[in-house]
Structures are given as structure tokens and as C-alpha cells.
Amino acid sequence: MIVLDDITLDVKELKRDEEEGTVYIEFDVASEDYHNLSEHLYKEEFLVRLPGNNNEEFQARIINYSTSLDNLYEEDQVGEYRITLKEEK
């Protein structure tokens, strides 16, 4: 699990590289959640919280983003988002 500002995401994969200050996440997005989530991700900068991982909290920005589908605006679709966040120092 990861929290970006006030949005909690159940991630399929989370890799934290403390040396590089990055967090890589993969998670599924259903078409009914697509608009609100995409709108939030356009901000590009977030307060990131990693519950259970020493309850880490830090500011980060998106440095890489991709999705498996480009038609999530169509009903009953599920796509995989892949995002890399870079901690702001």
C-alpha cells in the first residue's frame, strides 16, 4: 500500500531504492476510477506515505509514468499503471 496525498493505492509491486531516493509502483486502475486518479496524478508532486515501511513520509514527484491501456475512459476496462517517484530533497 502507498498513499499519495489523500489517495490510498493498493499496489501490486512496490520497490523502494533509498540510495537513489526512488519508489517504483505498479497498480491496477479500473475505468470508473480513471478520471479522478489521472486528474490527481497530473499534479506530479505528492506527499508520499509508506505505511508499514517505518511509516516513511516524504515529498516526491513523478519521474516516469506508463500505462498498459489507453482506453480506460471506456466502461469496464482495467489497466496497469507503472509510476516511478523521486524523493524531493
Side-chain angles (χ1 to χ4, degrees):
M1 178 187 319
I2 189 171
V3 181
L4 303 179
D5 295 329
D6 59 348
I7 294 179
T8 301
L9 300 172
D10 289 321
V11 295
K12 297 188 320 185
E13 185 172 351
L14 186 149
K15 295 179 185 173
R16 174 79 163 116
D17 186 329
E18 291 184 39
E19 193 172 295
E20 289 190 16
T22 59
V23 176
Y24 171 81
I25 56 175
E26 286 183 10
F27 57 97
D28 288 333
V29 177
S31 55
E32 61 266 15
D33 300 321
Y34 164 72
H35 178 74
N36 288 338
L37 180 60
S38 293
E39 191 174 82
H40 189 77
L41 292 177
Y42 285 137
K43 287 180 26 179
E44 295 183 13
E45 294 184 21
F46 311 96
L47 174 62
V48 176
R49 290 184 298 244
L50 301 174
N53 192 20
N54 296 323
N55 292 317
E56 283 187 82
E57 187 174 292
F58 52 89
Q59 289 293 130
R61 69 183 307 108
I62 293 176
I63 59 170
N64 196 1
Y65 163 85
S66 65
T67 183
S68 63
L69 293 176
D70 59 3
N71 64 342
L72 281 171
Y73 52 86
E74 294 177 9
E75 199 171 325
D76 298 323
Q77 300 293 315
V78 176
E80 182 180 80
Y81 276 33
R82 295 172 293 276
I83 296 174
T84 303
L85 301 159
K86 174 79 172 166
E87 188 173 351
E88 298 283 292
K89 302 261 180 185

